């Protein structure tokens, strides 16, 4: 999709700090991290949001979770990580290309203060 920011990142038209890439998934650092580790895991195929996952494109979602587990193991993340996706504007989705936030490196809560600094 020509005006999609994430499609432009995949096409190397917009710079990013790449963490991982394979034939169907691209992972890069979030430019506004809310945790010490904050990656975005995106399918290379343009899918606008979780509501558009179908039997024809759902395999990439499973693969994204495989990539997350691989990255966590390679980085030694043994105390947990969070995977989040937003679907739609009211849920906080700002880029309409399916993406998953991988957050780690801090103790996380739930609710208004979902990510809290550890002491």
């Amino acid at each position: 999709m020509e005006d999609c920011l994430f499609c432009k990142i995949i096409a190397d038209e917009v710079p990013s700090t790449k963490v991982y890439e394979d034939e169907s998934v691209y992972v890069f650092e979030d430019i506004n991290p809310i945790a010490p580790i904050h990656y975005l895991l995106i399918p290379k195929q343009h899918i606008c949001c979780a509501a558009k996952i179908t039997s024809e494109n759902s395999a990439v979602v499973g693969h994204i979770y495989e990539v997350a587990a691989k990255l966590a193991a390679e980085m030694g993340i043994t105390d947990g990580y969070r995977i989040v996706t937003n679907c739609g504007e009211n849920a906080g989705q700002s880029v309409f290309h399916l993406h998953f936030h991988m957050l780690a490196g801090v103790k996380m809560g739930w609710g208004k203060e979902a990510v809290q600094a550890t002491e």
Side-chain angles (χ1 to χ4, degrees):
M1 182 166 247
E2 68 183 52
D3 62 339
C4 172
L5 174 62
F6 289 171
C7 287
K8 289 179 179 181
I9 288 172
I10 293 164
D12 219 12
E13 297 171 12
V14 172
S16 68
T17 303
K18 180 171 59 173
V19 174
Y20 174 88
E21 181 178 15
D22 65 24
E23 65 283 343
S24 61
V25 174
Y26 189 86
V27 181
F28 59 101
E29 293 181 358
D30 192 294
I31 61 169
N32 294 307
I34 62 168
I37 296 168
H38 187 166
Y39 299 150
L40 296 177
L41 299 89
I42 63 175
K44 288 185 172 181
Q45 173 189 2
H46 183 86
I47 304 168
C48 79
C49 62
K52 298 300 181 183
I53 296 170
T54 66
S55 59
E56 289 80 29
N57 64 22
S58 63
V60 73
V61 175
H63 183 60
I64 285 171
Y65 276 89
E66 290 173 25
V67 168
K70 176 182 176 174
L71 291 173
E74 288 175 357
M75 298 177 62
I77 300 171
T78 58
D79 56 351
Y81 58 93
R82 180 173 287 172
I83 302 287
V84 178
T85 190
N86 302 316
C87 183
E89 195 172 328
N90 283 345
Q93 186 176 4
S94 59
V95 177
F96 289 87
H97 183 122
L98 181 64
H99 58 284
F100 297 82
H101 297 261
M102 181 177 181
L103 307 166
V106 294
K107 182 171 178 61
M108 295 179 205
W110 194 255
K112 290 182 182 181
E113 300 298 324
V115 178
Q116 303 167 354
T118 57
E119 299 183 59

PDB file of all heavy atoms in Angstrom, residues 6-14 16-29 39-45 63-64 67-68 70-71 74:
ATOM      1  N   PHE A   6       4.354   1.695   7.427  1.00  0.00           N
ATOM      2  CA  PHE A   6       5.058   0.431   7.649  1.00  0.00           C
ATOM      3  C   PHE A   6       5.421  -0.241   6.334  1.00  0.00           C
ATOM      4  O   PHE A   6       6.470  -0.879   6.236  1.00  0.00           O
ATOM      5  CB  PHE A   6       4.257  -0.493   8.551  1.00  0.00           C
ATOM      6  CG  PHE A   6       4.200  -0.037   9.996  1.00  0.00           C
ATOM      7  CD1 PHE A   6       3.367  -0.666  10.901  1.00  0.00           C
ATOM      8  CD2 PHE A   6       4.978   1.015  10.459  1.00  0.00           C
ATOM      9  CE1 PHE A   6       3.310  -0.272  12.230  1.00  0.00           C
ATOM     10  CE2 PHE A   6       4.929   1.428  11.784  1.00  0.00           C
ATOM     11  CZ  PHE A   6       4.090   0.778  12.670  1.00  0.00           C
ATOM     12  N   CYS A   7       4.592  -0.109   5.310  1.00  0.00           N
ATOM     13  CA  CYS A   7       4.956  -0.637   3.990  1.00  0.00           C
ATOM     14  C   CYS A   7       6.194   0.092   3.468  1.00  0.00           C
ATOM     15  O   CYS A   7       7.071  -0.523   2.853  1.00  0.00           O
ATOM     16  CB  CYS A   7       3.797  -0.498   3.009  1.00  0.00           C
ATOM     17  SG  CYS A   7       2.446  -1.667   3.314  1.00  0.00           S
ATOM     18  N   LYS A   8       6.285   1.399   3.747  1.00  0.00           N
ATOM     19  CA  LYS A   8       7.459   2.170   3.329  1.00  0.00           C
ATOM     20  C   LYS A   8       8.704   1.748   4.105  1.00  0.00           C
ATOM     21  O   LYS A   8       9.804   1.716   3.561  1.00  0.00           O
ATOM     22  CB  LYS A   8       7.206   3.663   3.496  1.00  0.00           C
ATOM     23  CG  LYS A   8       6.213   4.207   2.491  1.00  0.00           C
ATOM     24  CD  LYS A   8       5.955   5.685   2.700  1.00  0.00           C
ATOM     25  CE  LYS A   8       4.968   6.193   1.661  1.00  0.00           C
ATOM     26  NZ  LYS A   8       4.707   7.627   1.823  1.00  0.00           N
ATOM     27  N   ILE A   9       8.541   1.402   5.372  1.00  0.00           N
ATOM     28  CA  ILE A   9       9.669   0.907   6.171  1.00  0.00           C
ATOM     29  C   ILE A   9      10.143  -0.427   5.606  1.00  0.00           C
ATOM     30  O   ILE A   9      11.344  -0.642   5.413  1.00  0.00           O
ATOM     31  CB  ILE A   9       9.287   0.799   7.663  1.00  0.00           C
ATOM     32  CG1 ILE A   9       9.179   2.211   8.269  1.00  0.00           C
ATOM     33  CG2 ILE A   9      10.297  -0.058   8.433  1.00  0.00           C
ATOM     34  CD1 ILE A   9       8.632   2.254   9.678  1.00  0.00           C
ATOM     35  N   ILE A  10       9.219  -1.321   5.302  1.00  0.00           N
ATOM     36  CA  ILE A  10       9.575  -2.624   4.727  1.00  0.00           C
ATOM     37  C   ILE A  10      10.310  -2.441   3.403  1.00  0.00           C
ATOM     38  O   ILE A  10      11.283  -3.135   3.117  1.00  0.00           O
ATOM     39  CB  ILE A  10       8.313  -3.494   4.533  1.00  0.00           C
ATOM     40  CG1 ILE A  10       7.726  -3.880   5.890  1.00  0.00           C
ATOM     41  CG2 ILE A  10       8.622  -4.734   3.701  1.00  0.00           C
ATOM     42  CD1 ILE A  10       6.303  -4.408   5.823  1.00  0.00           C
ATOM     43  N   ALA A  11       9.851  -1.472   2.596  1.00  0.00           N
ATOM     44  CA  ALA A  11      10.461  -1.215   1.282  1.00  0.00           C
ATOM     45  C   ALA A  11      11.755  -0.420   1.383  1.00  0.00           C
ATOM     46  O   ALA A  11      12.373  -0.105   0.376  1.00  0.00           O
ATOM     47  CB  ALA A  11       9.464  -0.477   0.395  1.00  0.00           C
ATOM     48  N   ASP A  12      12.172  -0.083   2.596  1.00  0.00           N
ATOM     49  CA  ASP A  12      13.395   0.683   2.843  1.00  0.00           C
ATOM     50  C   ASP A  12      13.304   2.118   2.318  1.00  0.00           C
ATOM     51  O   ASP A  12      14.316   2.739   2.024  1.00  0.00           O
ATOM     52  CB  ASP A  12      14.607  -0.041   2.254  1.00  0.00           C
ATOM     53  CG  ASP A  12      15.826   0.054   3.151  1.00  0.00           C
ATOM     54  OD1 ASP A  12      15.686   0.466   4.310  1.00  0.00           O
ATOM     55  OD2 ASP A  12      16.926  -0.280   2.674  1.00  0.00           O
ATOM     56  N   GLU A  13      12.083   2.636   2.221  1.00  0.00           N
ATOM     57  CA  GLU A  13      11.869   4.023   1.815  1.00  0.00           C
ATOM     58  C   GLU A  13      11.883   4.965   3.016  1.00  0.00           C
ATOM     59  O   GLU A  13      12.082   6.166   2.857  1.00  0.00           O
ATOM     60  CB  GLU A  13      10.538   4.158   1.071  1.00  0.00           C
ATOM     61  CG  GLU A  13      10.487   3.374  -0.224  1.00  0.00           C
ATOM     62  CD  GLU A  13       9.091   3.340  -0.836  1.00  0.00           C
ATOM     63  OE1 GLU A  13       8.205   4.099  -0.389  1.00  0.00           O
ATOM     64  OE2 GLU A  13       8.888   2.542  -1.761  1.00  0.00           O
ATOM     65  N   VAL A  14      11.653   4.414   4.196  1.00  0.00           N
ATOM     66  CA  VAL A  14      11.688   5.151   5.461  1.00  0.00           C
ATOM     67  C   VAL A  14      12.654   4.393   6.362  1.00  0.00           C
ATOM     68  O   VAL A  14      12.544   3.172   6.484  1.00  0.00           O
ATOM     69  CB  VAL A  14      10.276   5.238   6.096  1.00  0.00           C
ATOM     70  CG1 VAL A  14      10.339   5.829   7.488  1.00  0.00           C
ATOM     71  CG2 VAL A  14       9.327   6.034   5.208  1.00  0.00           C
ATOM     72  N   SER A  16      14.567   2.698   9.523  1.00  0.00           N
ATOM     73  CA  SER A  16      14.187   2.075  10.787  1.00  0.00           C
ATOM     74  C   SER A  16      15.423   1.363  11.327  1.00  0.00           C
ATOM     75  O   SER A  16      16.383   1.130  10.600  1.00  0.00           O
ATOM     76  CB  SER A  16      13.057   1.058  10.575  1.00  0.00           C
ATOM     77  OG  SER A  16      13.508  -0.052   9.835  1.00  0.00           O
ATOM     78  N   THR A  17      15.349   1.021  12.596  1.00  0.00           N
ATOM     79  CA  THR A  17      16.415   0.230  13.196  1.00  0.00           C
ATOM     80  C   THR A  17      15.939  -1.213  13.202  1.00  0.00           C
ATOM     81  O   THR A  17      15.203  -1.643  14.093  1.00  0.00           O
ATOM     82  CB  THR A  17      16.746   0.722  14.619  1.00  0.00           C
ATOM     83  OG1 THR A  17      17.090   2.100  14.550  1.00  0.00           O
ATOM     84  CG2 THR A  17      17.903  -0.067  15.213  1.00  0.00           C
ATOM     85  N   LYS A  18      16.366  -1.942  12.173  1.00  0.00           N
ATOM     86  CA  LYS A  18      15.910  -3.320  11.989  1.00  0.00           C
ATOM     87  C   LYS A  18      16.521  -4.225  13.049  1.00  0.00           C
ATOM     88  O   LYS A  18      17.698  -4.154  13.358  1.00  0.00           O
ATOM     89  CB  LYS A  18      16.291  -3.813  10.598  1.00  0.00           C
ATOM     90  CG  LYS A  18      15.860  -5.246  10.315  1.00  0.00           C
ATOM     91  CD  LYS A  18      16.033  -5.691   8.881  1.00  0.00           C
ATOM     92  CE  LYS A  18      17.433  -5.597   8.393  1.00  0.00           C
ATOM     93  NZ  LYS A  18      17.598  -6.196   7.033  1.00  0.00           N
ATOM     94  N   VAL A  19      15.671  -5.104  13.572  1.00  0.00           N
ATOM     95  CA  VAL A  19      16.080  -6.096  14.551  1.00  0.00           C
ATOM     96  C   VAL A  19      16.099  -7.486  13.919  1.00  0.00           C
ATOM     97  O   VAL A  19      16.962  -8.307  14.220  1.00  0.00           O
ATOM     98  CB  VAL A  19      15.111  -6.076  15.761  1.00  0.00           C
ATOM     99  CG1 VAL A  19      15.420  -7.193  16.741  1.00  0.00           C
ATOM    100  CG2 VAL A  19      15.139  -4.722  16.447  1.00  0.00           C
ATOM    101  N   TYR A  20      15.165  -7.732  13.010  1.00  0.00           N
ATOM    102  CA  TYR A  20      15.015  -9.057  12.405  1.00  0.00           C
ATOM    103  C   TYR A  20      14.224  -8.910  11.112  1.00  0.00           C
ATOM    104  O   TYR A  20      13.346  -8.044  11.005  1.00  0.00           O
ATOM    105  CB  TYR A  20      14.255  -9.977  13.368  1.00  0.00           C
ATOM    106  CG  TYR A  20      13.924 -11.328  12.797  1.00  0.00           C
ATOM    107  CD1 TYR A  20      14.809 -12.395  12.898  1.00  0.00           C
ATOM    108  CD2 TYR A  20      12.704 -11.537  12.152  1.00  0.00           C
ATOM    109  CE1 TYR A  20      14.499 -13.639  12.369  1.00  0.00           C
ATOM    110  CE2 TYR A  20      12.395 -12.777  11.621  1.00  0.00           C
ATOM    111  CZ  TYR A  20      13.291 -13.830  11.724  1.00  0.00           C
ATOM    112  OH  TYR A  20      12.990 -15.051  11.198  1.00  0.00           O
ATOM    113  N   GLU A  21      14.528  -9.796  10.164  1.00  0.00           N
ATOM    114  CA  GLU A  21      13.749  -9.835   8.936  1.00  0.00           C
ATOM    115  C   GLU A  21      13.832 -11.220   8.331  1.00  0.00           C
ATOM    116  O   GLU A  21      14.881 -11.848   8.344  1.00  0.00           O
ATOM    117  CB  GLU A  21      14.283  -8.808   7.932  1.00  0.00           C
ATOM    118  CG  GLU A  21      13.517  -8.766   6.631  1.00  0.00           C
ATOM    119  CD  GLU A  21      14.022  -7.701   5.658  1.00  0.00           C
ATOM    120  OE1 GLU A  21      15.145  -7.179   5.860  1.00  0.00           O
ATOM    121  OE2 GLU A  21      13.291  -7.401   4.710  1.00  0.00           O
ATOM    122  N   ASP A  22      12.702 -11.698   7.826  1.00  0.00           N
ATOM    123  CA  ASP A  22      12.679 -12.919   7.034  1.00  0.00           C
ATOM    124  C   ASP A  22      11.715 -12.701   5.872  1.00  0.00           C
ATOM    125  O   ASP A  22      11.343 -11.550   5.595  1.00  0.00           O
ATOM    126  CB  ASP A  22      12.356 -14.164   7.884  1.00  0.00           C
ATOM    127  CG  ASP A  22      10.963 -14.172   8.487  1.00  0.00           C
ATOM    128  OD1 ASP A  22      10.044 -13.496   7.952  1.00  0.00           O
ATOM    129  OD2 ASP A  22      10.753 -14.877   9.496  1.00  0.00           O
ATOM    130  N   GLU A  23      11.309 -13.750   5.210  1.00  0.00           N
ATOM    131  CA  GLU A  23      10.483 -13.601   4.013  1.00  0.00           C
ATOM    132  C   GLU A  23       9.094 -13.024   4.278  1.00  0.00           C
ATOM    133  O   GLU A  23       8.491 -12.436   3.382  1.00  0.00           O
ATOM    134  CB  GLU A  23      10.352 -14.944   3.274  1.00  0.00           C
ATOM    135  CG  GLU A  23       9.605 -16.029   4.033  1.00  0.00           C
ATOM    136  CD  GLU A  23      10.398 -16.718   5.148  1.00  0.00           C
ATOM    137  OE1 GLU A  23      11.647 -16.616   5.167  1.00  0.00           O
ATOM    138  OE2 GLU A  23       9.768 -17.343   6.008  1.00  0.00           O
ATOM    139  N   SER A  24       8.591 -13.124   5.509  1.00  0.00           N
ATOM    140  CA  SER A  24       7.229 -12.655   5.771  1.00  0.00           C
ATOM    141  C   SER A  24       7.077 -11.684   6.934  1.00  0.00           C
ATOM    142  O   SER A  24       6.005 -11.112   7.117  1.00  0.00           O
ATOM    143  CB  SER A  24       6.295 -13.854   5.993  1.00  0.00           C
ATOM    144  OG  SER A  24       6.722 -14.613   7.104  1.00  0.00           O
ATOM    145  N   VAL A  25       8.148 -11.477   7.705  1.00  0.00           N
ATOM    146  CA  VAL A  25       8.061 -10.642   8.905  1.00  0.00           C
ATOM    147  C   VAL A  25       9.234  -9.658   8.956  1.00  0.00           C
ATOM    148  O   VAL A  25      10.355  -9.995   8.589  1.00  0.00           O
ATOM    149  CB  VAL A  25       8.064 -11.509  10.186  1.00  0.00           C
ATOM    150  CG1 VAL A  25       8.111 -10.657  11.441  1.00  0.00           C
ATOM    151  CG2 VAL A  25       6.855 -12.423  10.213  1.00  0.00           C
ATOM    152  N   TYR A  26       8.942  -8.461   9.428  1.00  0.00           N
ATOM    153  CA  TYR A  26       9.963  -7.438   9.637  1.00  0.00           C
ATOM    154  C   TYR A  26       9.805  -6.940  11.071  1.00  0.00           C
ATOM    155  O   TYR A  26       8.682  -6.681  11.519  1.00  0.00           O
ATOM    156  CB  TYR A  26       9.752  -6.282   8.648  1.00  0.00           C
ATOM    157  CG  TYR A  26      10.868  -5.267   8.628  1.00  0.00           C
ATOM    158  CD1 TYR A  26      11.987  -5.454   7.823  1.00  0.00           C
ATOM    159  CD2 TYR A  26      10.815  -4.123   9.403  1.00  0.00           C
ATOM    160  CE1 TYR A  26      13.013  -4.524   7.785  1.00  0.00           C
ATOM    161  CE2 TYR A  26      11.830  -3.187   9.374  1.00  0.00           C
ATOM    162  CZ  TYR A  26      12.927  -3.387   8.565  1.00  0.00           C
ATOM    163  OH  TYR A  26      13.948  -2.470   8.535  1.00  0.00           O
ATOM    164  N   VAL A  27      10.915  -6.827  11.791  1.00  0.00           N
ATOM    165  CA  VAL A  27      10.899  -6.370  13.187  1.00  0.00           C
ATOM    166  C   VAL A  27      11.855  -5.195  13.311  1.00  0.00           C
ATOM    167  O   VAL A  27      12.988  -5.256  12.832  1.00  0.00           O
ATOM    168  CB  VAL A  27      11.326  -7.491  14.156  1.00  0.00           C
ATOM    169  CG1 VAL A  27      11.286  -6.996  15.603  1.00  0.00           C
ATOM    170  CG2 VAL A  27      10.454  -8.734  13.978  1.00  0.00           C
ATOM    171  N   PHE A  28      11.389  -4.131  13.970  1.00  0.00           N
ATOM    172  CA  PHE A  28      12.233  -2.958  14.159  1.00  0.00           C
ATOM    173  C   PHE A  28      11.922  -2.298  15.494  1.00  0.00           C
ATOM    174  O   PHE A  28      10.896  -2.576  16.119  1.00  0.00           O
ATOM    175  CB  PHE A  28      12.067  -1.971  12.992  1.00  0.00           C
ATOM    176  CG  PHE A  28      10.656  -1.462  12.781  1.00  0.00           C
ATOM    177  CD1 PHE A  28      10.272  -0.215  13.232  1.00  0.00           C
ATOM    178  CD2 PHE A  28       9.713  -2.238  12.122  1.00  0.00           C
ATOM    179  CE1 PHE A  28       8.986   0.256  13.023  1.00  0.00           C
ATOM    180  CE2 PHE A  28       8.423  -1.786  11.903  1.00  0.00           C
ATOM    181  CZ  PHE A  28       8.062  -0.524  12.362  1.00  0.00           C
ATOM    182  N   GLU A  29      12.833  -1.425  15.922  1.00  0.00           N
ATOM    183  CA  GLU A  29      12.662  -0.728  17.199  1.00  0.00           C
ATOM    184  C   GLU A  29      11.604   0.363  17.061  1.00  0.00           C
ATOM    185  O   GLU A  29      11.574   1.084  16.063  1.00  0.00           O
ATOM    186  CB  GLU A  29      13.984  -0.102  17.637  1.00  0.00           C
ATOM    187  CG  GLU A  29      15.036  -1.116  17.995  1.00  0.00           C
ATOM    188  CD  GLU A  29      16.350  -0.493  18.445  1.00  0.00           C
ATOM    189  OE1 GLU A  29      16.483   0.756  18.458  1.00  0.00           O
ATOM    190  OE2 GLU A  29      17.266  -1.262  18.766  1.00  0.00           O
ATOM    191  N   TYR A  39       9.854  -3.421  20.508  1.00  0.00           N
ATOM    192  CA  TYR A  39       9.949  -3.724  19.087  1.00  0.00           C
ATOM    193  C   TYR A  39       8.565  -3.757  18.464  1.00  0.00           C
ATOM    194  O   TYR A  39       7.583  -4.072  19.141  1.00  0.00           O
ATOM    195  CB  TYR A  39      10.596  -5.097  18.863  1.00  0.00           C
ATOM    196  CG  TYR A  39      12.000  -5.240  19.381  1.00  0.00           C
ATOM    197  CD1 TYR A  39      12.464  -6.466  19.811  1.00  0.00           C
ATOM    198  CD2 TYR A  39      12.880  -4.158  19.450  1.00  0.00           C
ATOM    199  CE1 TYR A  39      13.762  -6.626  20.283  1.00  0.00           C
ATOM    200  CE2 TYR A  39      14.177  -4.303  19.917  1.00  0.00           C
ATOM    201  CZ  TYR A  39      14.605  -5.541  20.333  1.00  0.00           C
ATOM    202  OH  TYR A  39      15.884  -5.692  20.801  1.00  0.00           O
ATOM    203  N   LEU A  40       8.519  -3.474  17.186  1.00  0.00           N
ATOM    204  CA  LEU A  40       7.302  -3.668  16.403  1.00  0.00           C
ATOM    205  C   LEU A  40       7.535  -4.842  15.469  1.00  0.00           C
ATOM    206  O   LEU A  40       8.527  -4.873  14.735  1.00  0.00           O
ATOM    207  CB  LEU A  40       6.962  -2.417  15.600  1.00  0.00           C
ATOM    208  CG  LEU A  40       6.623  -1.185  16.438  1.00  0.00           C
ATOM    209  CD1 LEU A  40       6.362   0.014  15.545  1.00  0.00           C
ATOM    210  CD2 LEU A  40       5.420  -1.453  17.323  1.00  0.00           C
ATOM    211  N   LEU A  41       6.649  -5.808  15.511  1.00  0.00           N
ATOM    212  CA  LEU A  41       6.709  -6.989  14.651  1.00  0.00           C
ATOM    213  C   LEU A  41       5.571  -6.856  13.649  1.00  0.00           C
ATOM    214  O   LEU A  41       4.404  -6.760  14.059  1.00  0.00           O
ATOM    215  CB  LEU A  41       6.544  -8.271  15.469  1.00  0.00           C
ATOM    216  CG  LEU A  41       7.610  -8.528  16.538  1.00  0.00           C
ATOM    217  CD1 LEU A  41       7.251  -7.906  17.860  1.00  0.00           C
ATOM    218  CD2 LEU A  41       7.830 -10.005  16.704  1.00  0.00           C
ATOM    219  N   ILE A  42       5.917  -6.805  12.360  1.00  0.00           N
ATOM    220  CA  ILE A  42       4.900  -6.567  11.350  1.00  0.00           C
ATOM    221  C   ILE A  42       4.993  -7.587  10.216  1.00  0.00           C
ATOM    222  O   ILE A  42       6.088  -8.008   9.852  1.00  0.00           O
ATOM    223  CB  ILE A  42       4.985  -5.135  10.774  1.00  0.00           C
ATOM    224  CG1 ILE A  42       6.305  -4.887  10.054  1.00  0.00           C
ATOM    225  CG2 ILE A  42       4.787  -4.097  11.873  1.00  0.00           C
ATOM    226  CD1 ILE A  42       6.393  -3.544   9.359  1.00  0.00           C
ATOM    227  N   PRO A  43       3.836  -7.963   9.670  1.00  0.00           N
ATOM    228  CA  PRO A  43       3.879  -8.801   8.478  1.00  0.00           C
ATOM    229  C   PRO A  43       4.288  -7.948   7.279  1.00  0.00           C
ATOM    230  O   PRO A  43       3.948  -6.762   7.207  1.00  0.00           O
ATOM    231  CB  PRO A  43       2.440  -9.296   8.330  1.00  0.00           C
ATOM    232  CG  PRO A  43       1.611  -8.247   8.986  1.00  0.00           C
ATOM    233  CD  PRO A  43       2.468  -7.682  10.099  1.00  0.00           C
ATOM    234  N   LYS A  44       5.025  -8.530   6.364  1.00  0.00           N
ATOM    235  CA  LYS A  44       5.391  -7.796   5.154  1.00  0.00           C
ATOM    236  C   LYS A  44       4.171  -7.588   4.257  1.00  0.00           C
ATOM    237  O   LYS A  44       4.086  -6.595   3.546  1.00  0.00           O
ATOM    238  CB  LYS A  44       6.503  -8.518   4.405  1.00  0.00           C
ATOM    239  CG  LYS A  44       7.837  -8.406   5.114  1.00  0.00           C
ATOM    240  CD  LYS A  44       8.939  -9.022   4.284  1.00  0.00           C
ATOM    241  CE  LYS A  44      10.289  -8.751   4.895  1.00  0.00           C
ATOM    242  NZ  LYS A  44      11.372  -9.340   4.082  1.00  0.00           N
ATOM    243  N   GLN A  45       3.246  -8.512   4.321  1.00  0.00           N
ATOM    244  CA  GLN A  45       1.990  -8.360   3.590  1.00  0.00           C
ATOM    245  C   GLN A  45       1.155  -7.301   4.300  1.00  0.00           C
ATOM    246  O   GLN A  45       1.023  -7.320   5.522  1.00  0.00           O
ATOM    247  CB  GLN A  45       1.238  -9.688   3.569  1.00  0.00           C
ATOM    248  CG  GLN A  45      -0.143  -9.619   2.978  1.00  0.00           C
ATOM    249  CD  GLN A  45      -0.938 -10.908   3.180  1.00  0.00           C
ATOM    250  OE1 GLN A  45      -0.473 -11.854   3.804  1.00  0.00           O
ATOM    251  NE2 GLN A  45      -2.136 -10.925   2.652  1.00  0.00           N
ATOM    252  N   HIS A  63       3.446 -17.052  12.834  1.00  0.00           N
ATOM    253  CA  HIS A  63       4.879 -16.884  12.579  1.00  0.00           C
ATOM    254  C   HIS A  63       5.436 -15.689  13.363  1.00  0.00           C
ATOM    255  O   HIS A  63       6.561 -15.746  13.874  1.00  0.00           O
ATOM    256  CB  HIS A  63       5.140 -16.725  11.083  1.00  0.00           C
ATOM    257  CG  HIS A  63       6.580 -16.625  10.745  1.00  0.00           C
ATOM    258  ND1 HIS A  63       7.501 -17.624  11.041  1.00  0.00           N
ATOM    259  CD2 HIS A  63       7.297 -15.629  10.168  1.00  0.00           C
ATOM    260  CE1 HIS A  63       8.699 -17.238  10.645  1.00  0.00           C
ATOM    261  NE2 HIS A  63       8.604 -16.037  10.115  1.00  0.00           N
ATOM    262  N   ILE A  64       4.659 -14.632  13.478  1.00  0.00           N
ATOM    263  CA  ILE A  64       5.093 -13.466  14.260  1.00  0.00           C
ATOM    264  C   ILE A  64       5.353 -13.874  15.712  1.00  0.00           C
ATOM    265  O   ILE A  64       6.356 -13.476  16.310  1.00  0.00           O
ATOM    266  CB  ILE A  64       4.084 -12.315  14.147  1.00  0.00           C
ATOM    267  CG1 ILE A  64       4.229 -11.648  12.770  1.00  0.00           C
ATOM    268  CG2 ILE A  64       4.247 -11.302  15.281  1.00  0.00           C
ATOM    269  CD1 ILE A  64       3.164 -10.625  12.425  1.00  0.00           C
ATOM    270  N   VAL A  67       8.593 -15.693  15.881  1.00  0.00           N
ATOM    271  CA  VAL A  67       9.705 -14.742  15.818  1.00  0.00           C
ATOM    272  C   VAL A  67       9.903 -14.083  17.176  1.00  0.00           C
ATOM    273  O   VAL A  67      11.033 -13.924  17.645  1.00  0.00           O
ATOM    274  CB  VAL A  67       9.475 -13.700  14.704  1.00  0.00           C
ATOM    275  CG1 VAL A  67      10.469 -12.542  14.811  1.00  0.00           C
ATOM    276  CG2 VAL A  67       9.557 -14.359  13.329  1.00  0.00           C
ATOM    277  N   ALA A  68       8.814 -13.696  17.838  1.00  0.00           N
ATOM    278  CA  ALA A  68       8.918 -13.082  19.167  1.00  0.00           C
ATOM    279  C   ALA A  68       9.608 -14.027  20.144  1.00  0.00           C
ATOM    280  O   ALA A  68      10.501 -13.616  20.896  1.00  0.00           O
ATOM    281  CB  ALA A  68       7.530 -12.689  19.689  1.00  0.00           C
ATOM    282  N   LYS A  70      11.659 -16.462  19.415  1.00  0.00           N
ATOM    283  CA  LYS A  70      13.061 -16.589  18.992  1.00  0.00           C
ATOM    284  C   LYS A  70      13.881 -15.383  19.462  1.00  0.00           C
ATOM    285  O   LYS A  70      14.983 -15.539  20.003  1.00  0.00           O
ATOM    286  CB  LYS A  70      13.123 -16.705  17.468  1.00  0.00           C
ATOM    287  CG  LYS A  70      14.514 -16.748  16.898  1.00  0.00           C
ATOM    288  CD  LYS A  70      14.485 -16.824  15.376  1.00  0.00           C
ATOM    289  CE  LYS A  70      15.896 -16.763  14.838  1.00  0.00           C
ATOM    290  NZ  LYS A  70      15.971 -16.976  13.415  1.00  0.00           N
ATOM    291  N   LEU A  71      13.340 -14.183  19.267  1.00  0.00           N
ATOM    292  CA  LEU A  71      14.050 -12.974  19.701  1.00  0.00           C
ATOM    293  C   LEU A  71      14.248 -12.964  21.211  1.00  0.00           C
ATOM    294  O   LEU A  71      15.321 -12.616  21.701  1.00  0.00           O
ATOM    295  CB  LEU A  71      13.300 -11.718  19.254  1.00  0.00           C
ATOM    296  CG  LEU A  71      13.289 -11.433  17.766  1.00  0.00           C
ATOM    297  CD1 LEU A  71      12.366 -10.246  17.454  1.00  0.00           C
ATOM    298  CD2 LEU A  71      14.691 -11.166  17.251  1.00  0.00           C
ATOM    299  N   GLU A  74      17.019 -15.388  22.057  1.00  0.00           N
ATOM    300  CA  GLU A  74      18.323 -14.864  21.641  1.00  0.00           C
ATOM    301  C   GLU A  74      18.795 -13.729  22.535  1.00  0.00           C
ATOM    302  O   GLU A  74      19.997 -13.564  22.747  1.00  0.00           O
ATOM    303  CB  GLU A  74      18.261 -14.377  20.191  1.00  0.00           C
ATOM    304  CG  GLU A  74      18.177 -15.491  19.175  1.00  0.00           C
ATOM    305  CD  GLU A  74      17.997 -14.989  17.751  1.00  0.00           C
ATOM    306  OE1 GLU A  74      17.879 -13.761  17.523  1.00  0.00           O
ATOM    307  OE2 GLU A  74      17.953 -15.848  16.847  1.00  0.00           O
TER     308      GLU A  74
END
